[in-house]
Amino acid sequence: MSLKLKRDMRNPLLLPVPEHSWESRFIFNGAVVYDENEKLFHMLYRAMGVDDVSRIGYAVSTDGVHFSRLDKPVFSPANNFETKGCEDPRLTKIDDEYYMLYTAYSKNGVRVSMASTKNFITWKRYGVILPDQDDKDAALFPEKVNGRYMLYHRIEPDIWVSFSDDLFHWTDHKVIMNPRKDRWDSLKVGIGAPPVKTSQGWFMLYHGVDQNMVYRLGFALFDLNDPTKLLKRVDNPVLEPEEDFERFGQVPNVVFSDAMIQHDGNYMVYYAGADNCMALATIPVEEVERELKKL
Ligand code: BMA
């Protein structure tokens, strides 16, 4: 049996809001965290409106399905690296602070940038944190591994890892995962959500792109003590564009995720359909554990 994510019947969960000029056209690629104390799901999503610049909007939910949204963006371009937008947030809680890695987009290309918040409204901005070259799809580990912070990022076409002692200075950049020839992830790969720590290893959701530019999602497992070491990779995609809202939109044939959380015995994967709207798909944790053991 191959692992498949199950779509929520209420998809799509969030759509653009025509009355809000900053999010009137597309909303997608949302980061989601669940706060155990507040019992709330917090979402930061990428929004595009009349000026084609990406900003970050905020939504909150008690059940992970019905979200209430603010009518203004909570994070907008603020420097020369971001003139074309702040894209694709990924959230990781470290101590009592949420760190957001995002793509800063300008005429110079894409760069990995970082900001942090405690309330999703007010921010500390740290700017570009990785070397000055095209780089995106970055996600922080939720804890130090062997005494150092780690993040995954993507320099085309591979997934890379970098290390830091303080979260701000990143070194020892190294490739950890490549595209696979003649497969659904043959052109490029990139991290989906920040990796989740499990007893079997660091569990990773990633996206793969094929020669026809179809975006699909897959699972991989990395060594617990050395997350530069790829242990297993599921053969087939766990989600691929099938529904109309995934096949038609700003960019056709795309399922793209920035968020996977463990909640009530399930992995909840928040993903975007066709760079257009937000949706949810889930899979029982126990099923993933069982199937990964067989690989
Ligand atoms: C990637 C990113 C994502 C987007 C995807 C599919 O390169 O730009 O924001 O969802 O392409 O278009």
Side-chain angles (χ1 to χ4, degrees), residues 90 136-137 153-160 175-180 183-192 204-210 215-216 218 222 230 233 256:
R90 290 181 176 86
K136 66 194 309 190
D137 292 328
H153 57 116
R154 207 281 299 286
I155 301 173
E156 285 199 22
D158 308 305
I159 299 181
W160 291 62
V175 174
I176 52 137
M177 195 164 125
N178 317 96
R180 290 182 289 197
R183 303 285 284 274
W184 61 273
D185 49 4
S186 58
L187 186 67
K188 49 187 176 177
V189 287
I191 183 92
M204 183 217 258
L205 173 75
Y206 74 99
H207 65 262
V209 188
D210 71 9
Y215 280 71
R216 300 178 174 87
F222 287 81
L230 175 61
R233 192 163 167 179
F256 191 94

Side-chain angles (χ1 to χ4, degrees), residues 57-245:
Y58 171 72
V60 63
S61 167
T62 52
D63 64 2
V65 171
H66 302 92
F67 282 86
S68 305
R69 295 153 75 167
L70 290 183
D71 58 5
K72 294 204 165 48
V74 293
F75 197 91
S76 296
N79 62 49
N80 285 341
F81 286 103
E82 303 175 353
T83 48
K84 291 190 180 186
C86 302
E87 305 179 344
D88 303 354
R90 290 181 176 86
L91 276 171
T92 302
K93 193 176 191 187
I94 296 178
D95 301 327
D96 61 347
E97 189 99 13
Y98 291 103
Y99 287 85
M100 174 175 77
L101 297 186
Y102 63 99
T103 306
Y105 180 33
S106 72
K107 66 177 185 347
N108 297 318
V110 287
R111 298 288 182 277
V112 171
S113 281
M114 185 167 77
S116 71
T117 186
K118 287 186 165 55
N119 56 22
F120 304 98
I121 310 283
T122 52
W123 294 88
K124 286 185 222 158
R125 303 177 83 118
Y126 310 101
V128 176
I129 56 164
L130 292 178
D132 196 24
Q133 69 183 97
D134 272 349
D135 198 340
K136 66 194 309 190
D137 292 328
L140 268 175
F141 280 65
E143 60 185 71
K144 285 183 177 173
V145 184
N146 293 321
R148 290 206 289 176
Y149 293 108
M150 292 182 67
L151 61 77
Y152 287 142
H153 57 116
R154 207 281 299 286
I155 301 173
E156 285 199 22
D158 308 305
I159 299 181
W160 291 62
V161 72
S162 301
F163 298 86
S164 173
D165 294 324
D166 60 6
L167 282 175
F168 309 108
H169 304 90
W170 293 87
T171 56
D172 303 324
H173 318 291
K174 179 176 162 184
V175 174
I176 52 137
M177 195 164 125
N178 317 96
R180 290 182 289 197
K181 205 168 175 292
D182 300 329
R183 303 285 284 274
W184 61 273
D185 49 4
S186 58
L187 186 67
K188 49 187 176 177
V189 287
I191 183 92
V196 175
K197 193 178 189 182
T198 75
S199 58
Q200 292 170 297
W202 287 98
F203 180 48
M204 183 217 258
L205 173 75
Y206 74 99
H207 65 262
V209 188
D210 71 9
Q211 310 297 326
N212 299 317
M213 295 304 289
V214 178
Y215 280 71
R216 300 178 174 87
L217 299 178
F219 284 151
L221 194 69
F222 287 81
D223 189 271
L224 212 47
N225 299 313
D226 179 9
T228 67
K229 210 162 104 195
L230 175 61
L231 298 179
K232 295 174 181 188
R233 192 163 167 179
V234 171
D235 275 341
N236 297 316
V238 296
L239 190 75
E240 57 189 322
E242 283 166 354
E243 299 289 325
D244 280 357
F245 72 86

Side-chain angles (χ1 to χ4, degrees), residues 29 46 88 136 215 251 254 256 275:
N29 299 356
R46 173 175 168 192
D88 303 354
K136 66 194 309 190
Y215 280 71
V251 182
V254 174
F256 191 94
D275 284 2

